[in-house]
Amino acid sequence: MTDVNFALPLLRDGYVPAAELDALRTEQPIARLELPEGIDVTGWLITRYDDAKAVLGDHQRFSNDFTRLAEAGDLQSLLQQDPGGLGLIDPPDHTRLRKIVTPEFTMRRLRRLEPLIDGIIAERLDAIAAAGPGADLVELYALPIPSLVITELLGVPYEDRDEFVDHSADRFTFTGDIGDSLGQIGESLKYLRGLVEKMRANPDGDGLIPQIIREHGDDITDTELAGLADGILTGGHETTASMIALGAHVLMQNPDYVSLISNAEPKQAQEIVDELLRVLTVVQVGFPRLAKEDVEVGGQLIKAGELALVSLSAANRDDALTPDAQTLDLRRGTTSHLAFGYGIHRCIGAELGRMELKVALPELFRRFPGIKHEGDPDLVDYRMFSIVFGLESLPVTW
């Protein structure tokens, strides 16, 4: 069995995941993974859809607990960071904290944000018009929309918003040193704990953070609340921004796609967005899982203490999910894709992200029907070796 380099699931040819992932899914769907320095355990890369669901959905036998990962890698100094958040803890703590935030992310509650989202998108379209013809869609559109929505949702004071969003930007690029990546998380959490302390001292503001403080008080610590805020920020900002930019990039390359989304009713717009989410899968890998006991997945024994890493981008291109899964088909309809994960750790902000995307992409092309790349679309500046795939910039004109 050939070991697979840890960076492979982060590699792309343009926006298409590396062809080697397709080969692995067919020939070696549970492949031994060469982990970065500092993680001294046996790792496995999962590339098939059914196997991915089996691992992601089994919280009884697989752990997301950050402390287990740090101990397995003998990274004791990192344990002091306690990153928290829903993605890096197990039940019963996960159950308790998710119960606190879940009510705010039901569709019934989220619908109250629709006027806010519509207004932010309209303002950003005006900003593009004022800047052009010619603008960077990442800077003027993709980044500001989720930034403004998330900070408004959480109740971050206006004067803190730039710093709040800056802390999500650098953590996803993988340099080969797990300590560097987690160090970025530590800096973000240090800032967020300070922000939570200020809000706890004066919890009268609007938004989710002060609301949780008022309703749950001492039932949730500052560290836990900072972790939740960090998870909502990183899960709802970088990912949605990447999807807006990459979605526009892909759509602009095909006039039929532009016509389809420009004329789409809300239900069809949502189906188009879901197909883009499946094919682009901007969150390229799931949170690493550690086996709590010996588990057989896809015919391969994963022993207790070994690590399983799911390639979400590979699993979403498996024909077991949908026929001809390698092809982008905007008329395919909604599928049970894994772009938001699966099981108890599925992204809690998934519906909020879908709401933003189903307005941001159609309205962009309705407002600027002649929008196109400024330059060769094959030469756009992709974010390389990043857990969250995206674009550094997207120059356009009209």
Side-chain angles (χ1 to χ4, degrees):
M1 179 179 289
T2 304
D3 286 4
V4 175
N5 187 278
F6 181 82
L8 176 60
L10 307 182
L11 300 181
R12 302 239 177 173
D13 180 7
Y15 65 82
V16 178
E20 291 90 336
L21 289 171
D22 294 331
L24 281 178
R25 191 173 54 242
T26 301
E27 301 164 10
Q28 198 177 334
I30 314 289
R32 187 150 42 210
L33 190 61
E34 179 185 311
L35 293 171
E37 185 177 350
I39 303 294
D40 302 319
V41 298
T42 298
W44 302 93
L45 180 66
I46 318 295
T47 51
R48 281 195 308 213
Y49 177 75
D50 291 337
D51 297 336
K53 286 184 67 177
V55 171
L56 297 176
D58 190 352
H59 66 275
Q60 300 289 345
R61 297 187 294 175
F62 286 97
S63 171
N64 278 48
D65 188 348
F66 167 79
T67 59
R68 288 176 180 259
L69 180 62
E71 288 168 352
D74 195 25
L75 302 170
Q76 296 298 317
S77 63
L78 297 178
L79 292 175
Q80 299 174 2
Q81 293 190 51
D82 188 13
L86 294 174
L88 294 169
I89 55 175
D90 291 339
D93 287 336
H94 176 274
T95 308
R96 174 176 60 86
L97 293 176
R98 190 163 182 123
K99 187 176 181 180
I100 289 173
V101 295
T102 292
E104 288 304 307
F105 288 91
T106 62
M107 279 307 301
R108 183 176 64 84
R109 294 278 187 97
L110 288 174
R111 285 194 184 97
R112 79 186 192 284
L113 296 176
E114 287 178 342
L116 170 71
I117 292 171
D118 291 344
I120 289 170
I121 288 170
E123 290 173 4
R124 298 322 304 166
L125 291 170
D126 289 345
I128 292 172
D136 177 6
L137 272 191
V138 171
E139 178 185 3
L140 291 184
Y141 199 62
L143 283 173
I145 290 171
S147 166
L148 292 166
V149 171
I150 289 292
T151 52
E152 188 75 22
L153 171 70
L154 291 176
V156 176
Y158 184 82
E159 62 271 18
D160 287 330
R161 293 188 175 188
D162 287 344
E163 184 175 1
F164 178 81
V165 172
D166 285 346
H167 280 291
S168 77
D170 298 325
R171 67 173 56 201
F172 295 113
T173 299
F174 178 71
T175 61
D177 186 337
I178 194 73
D180 286 348
S181 299
L182 288 168
Q184 296 289 344
I185 297 175
E187 287 299 310
S188 175
L189 288 166
K190 181 180 177 182
Y191 161 74
L192 286 169
R193 288 180 191 121
L195 181 62
V196 168
E197 286 175 9
K198 288 195 295 184
M199 289 185 171
R200 195 178 287 275
N202 182 20
D204 297 330
D206 296 326
L208 184 58
I209 297 176
Q211 178 183 323
I212 289 174
I213 292 170
R214 290 194 299 268
E215 293 182 359
H216 298 277
D218 293 338
D219 292 338
I220 185 168
T221 68
D222 286 358
T223 296
E224 289 173 332
L225 190 47
L228 288 178
D230 185 66
I232 293 168
L233 167 64
T234 56
H237 180 250
E238 287 294 315
T239 53
T240 304
S242 292
M243 272 302 306
I244 293 172
L246 282 169
H249 169 55
V250 171
L251 293 167
M252 283 189 295
Q253 296 181 59
N254 189 320
D256 290 341
Y257 293 166
V258 171
S259 176
L260 189 65
I261 199 164
S262 298
N263 296 294
E265 296 297 324
K267 181 177 183 297
Q268 187 183 22
Q270 188 65 80
E271 291 175 348
I272 291 170
V273 163
D274 278 325
E275 175 67 352
L276 288 168
L277 282 162
R278 181 190 71 82
V279 169
L280 293 172
T281 312
V282 296
V283 181
Q284 306 200 78
V285 294
F287 288 111
R289 267 70 170 175
L290 280 180
K292 294 192 277 188
E293 59 186 71
D294 291 356
V295 186
E296 186 173 303
V297 178
Q300 173 64 51
L301 178 65
I302 299 177
K303 296 180 180 180
E306 294 183 342
L307 182 146
L309 187 71
V310 172
S311 170
L312 300 173
S313 54
N316 274 341
R317 288 171 170 262
D318 187 346
D319 287 348
L321 165 62
T322 185
D324 195 21
Q326 299 293 309
T327 302
L328 174 67
D329 179 359
L330 297 187
R331 293 181 173 84
R332 188 187 300 274
T334 297
T335 60
S336 299
H337 62 72
L338 304 178
F340 295 111
Y342 180 74
I344 67 168
H345 289 287
R346 184 178 186 269
C347 177
I348 197 169
E351 300 313 315
L352 176 60
R354 293 171 79 234
M355 281 175 60
E356 293 174 72
L357 289 164
K358 78 173 183 180
V359 180
L361 287 172
E363 289 302 320
L364 174 66
F365 291 99
R366 289 170 186 154
R367 179 72 176 269
F368 302 101
I371 197 168
K372 61 183 180 179
H373 291 88
E374 187 175 76
D376 188 343
D378 291 332
L379 299 179
V380 294
D381 190 9
Y382 292 108
R383 185 187 302 142
M384 303 304 293
F385 299 106
S386 179
I387 294 170
V388 177
F389 182 66
L391 291 166
E392 297 289 355
S393 62
L394 183 60
V396 295
T397 190
W398 56 92

